[in-house]
């Protein structure tokens, strides 16, 4: 017979005295799937995870969800149902030595008693890469079945190799109805709940608790316990719990924010997109969420400077000036005074006219830099510091703009293969409307007219190769852009030529 499992955190036979001293959230933990509130998308009737638990056919998995949604509760239910040895570890206190011990015992248990081992690692995201790697081969060969619980996105916090060997189940925060059911159950439960204190929970206090708990069952139940047990009984032993009692018990909202986790990226994304959409109210809300969650104000200031450049650009050239000034203000003042400076900047950027024309122009220019032939600088644009260079034609034909009354000249500034390219197309918003008017004179210039269309260029290119080209022939667009064709053709071999060496000025 297999040895009797050691008593531990998940052992249902813990002393009653210890159980009675546990917090309300621990005492009220469901003991079965039928009693569990929420998460029906993964443990509802007929769901794969529920079938695996009921039939004891467990597999490695990662339980990902916010605090107080039932990850540890679900692990405890698995411990109650499985015939496998259940070994819990907390990544906060455990290390590689503990993992090696568990794996060694699991290997002996499997070899001698044919008993599997389920390794539950709470807060698995707190393990570093080497610690996660230590368990990887043993998950792969089946020595242990891993169940990891994390509040952080496994895509970022769990090694890809380990993640690929486990199924990820996403647990959601409890909704108001589910949280209300848990609260009502705790108030009326005479065994593990608070019924012995005869609490009377006012409806507005109940609603306030649900709202402030933010979907976290642990926060709701522990705050409820504090409010009830600290309340002086009235006549008849009843304890009326009011909003003020609940407010005092909670102290502050259960803010779900981790400046190093996924919510950090989600919140900054929401702030950025709210400003981009010119919504000042949502923008200042997300700013407050981040600052109250402990976000670095200078990180926010840097992102706001980026918004001024990317999403406002030349529609309001003062945006980056204001953003830079606010960044210096925040750096100088610190918190909390600097927070108001950030609020001013957020509101300024939200109301500013928006344009990504400069951003798009630069991105398109980079595409041509990377994907087209780097033709030489046109001769008339080259610098000619020596007589030799002047003799070779450097700078010849260059038109000096200030010689024109309007400082406007019609000359080609691109390499020939990119002639007529248009990257910057100013919007009609804010200052860019003025820019568009200033650039309107260029529309009719010969130098900015694009090269002939593909249909005209391609047959000429074919004739230069000595090949015939039907009128409806399809040509590689890269060829039109000045690139070599991507579809190879049989061409006569041309001996390579070496470009002449340029003489360097002494």
């Amino acid at each position: 017979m297999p040895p009797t499992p050691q008593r531990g955190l998940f052992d249902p036979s813990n002393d009653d005295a210890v159980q009675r001293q546990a917090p309300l959230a621990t005492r009220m933990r469901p003991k079965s799937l039928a009693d569990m509130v929420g998460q029906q998308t993964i443990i509802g009737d007929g769901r794969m995870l529920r079938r695996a638990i009921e039939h004891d056919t467990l597999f490695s998995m990662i339980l990902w969800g916010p605090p107080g949604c039932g990850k540890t509760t679900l692990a405890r239910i698995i411990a109650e149902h499985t015939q496998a040895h259940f070994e819990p570890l907390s990544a906060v206190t455990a290390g590689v030595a503990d993992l090696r011990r568990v794996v060694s015992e699991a290997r002996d248990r499997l070899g001698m008693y044919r008993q599997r081992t389920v390794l539950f690692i709470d807060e698995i995201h707190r393990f570093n890469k080497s610690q996660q790697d230590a368990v990887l081969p043993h998950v792969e060969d089946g020595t242990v079945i891993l169940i990891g619980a994390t509040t952080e996105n496994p895509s970022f916090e769990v090694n890809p190799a380990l993640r690929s060997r486990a199924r990820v189940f996403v647990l959601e925060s409890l909704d108001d109805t589910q949280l209300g059911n848990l609260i009502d159950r705790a108030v009326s439960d005479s065994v593990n709940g608070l019924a012995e204190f005869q609490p009377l929970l006012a409806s507005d206090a109940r609603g306030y608790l649900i709202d402030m708990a933010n979907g976290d069952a642990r926060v709701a139940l522990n705050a409820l316990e504090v409010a009830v047990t600290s309340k002086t009984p009235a006549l008849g032993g009843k304890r009326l719990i009011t909003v003020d009692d609940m407010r005092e018990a909670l102290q502050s909202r259960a803010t779900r924010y981790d400046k190093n986790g996924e919510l950090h990226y989600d919140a900054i994304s929401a702030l950025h997109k709210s400003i981009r959409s010119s919504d000042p109210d949502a923008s200042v809300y997300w700013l407050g969420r981040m600052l109250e969650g402990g976000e670095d104000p200078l990180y926010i200031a840097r992102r706001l400077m980026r918004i001024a450049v990317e999403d406002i650009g030349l529609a309001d050239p003062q945006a980056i000036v204001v953003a830079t000034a606010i960044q210096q203000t925040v750096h100088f003042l610190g918190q909390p005074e600097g927070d108001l400076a950030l609020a001013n900047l957020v509101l300024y950027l939200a109301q500013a006219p928006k344009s990504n024309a400069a951003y798009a122009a630069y991105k398109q220019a980079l595409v041509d830099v990377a994907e087209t032939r780097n033709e030489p600088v046109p001769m008339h644009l080259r610098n000619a510091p020596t007589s030799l260079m002047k003799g070779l034609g450097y700078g010849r034909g260059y038109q000096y703009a200030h010689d024109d009354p309007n400082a406007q000249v019609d000359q080609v500034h691109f390499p020939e293969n990119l002639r007529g390219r248009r990257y910057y197309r100013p919007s009609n918003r804010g200052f860019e409307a003025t820019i568009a008017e200033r650039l309107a004179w260029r529309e009719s210039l010969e130098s900015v007219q694009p090269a002939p269309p593909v249909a005209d260029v391609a047959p000429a290119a074919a004739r230069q190769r000595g090949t015939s080209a039907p009128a409806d022939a399809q040509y590689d667009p890269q060829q039109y852009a000045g690139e070599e064709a991507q579809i190879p053709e049989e061409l006569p071999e041309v001996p390579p030529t070496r470009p002449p060496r340029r003489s360097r000025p002494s």
Side-chain angles (χ1 to χ4, degrees), residues 136-152:
L136 174 62
H138 311 295
V139 172
E140 186 169 21
D141 65 16
T143 302
V144 296
I145 298 170
L146 173 67
I147 299 178
T150 178
T151 57
E152 302 299 327

Side-chain angles (χ1 to χ4, degrees), residues 144-221:
V144 296
I145 298 170
L146 173 67
I147 299 178
T150 178
T151 57
E152 302 299 327
N153 191 329
S155 299
F156 305 134
E157 303 297 338
V158 179
N159 291 352
L162 186 58
R163 195 171 65 246
S164 69
R165 290 161 175 80
R167 288 183 173 87
V168 176
F169 291 98
V170 181
L171 284 75
E172 304 290 345
S173 299
L174 301 184
D175 61 31
D176 290 356
T177 300
Q178 294 164 347
L179 206 54
N181 290 339
L182 284 180
I183 292 171
D184 296 340
R185 184 186 298 177
V187 168
S188 60
D189 192 311
S190 58
V191 178
N192 296 313
L194 301 171
E196 62 177 301
F197 297 99
Q198 302 183 59
L200 297 174
L201 185 59
S203 60
D204 55 349
R206 180 180 182 273
Y208 180 80
L209 175 59
I210 292 173
D211 183 53
M212 297 298 286
N214 217 20
D216 189 328
R218 187 182 295 108
V219 167
L221 293 177

Side-chain angles (χ1 to χ4, degrees), residues 434-452:
T434 301
I435 294 177
E437 293 176 3
R438 292 177 178 178
L439 295 177
W441 66 277
R442 293 179 50 81
E443 297 297 331
S444 61
L445 298 182
E446 182 180 346
S447 60
V448 300
Q449 298 307 308

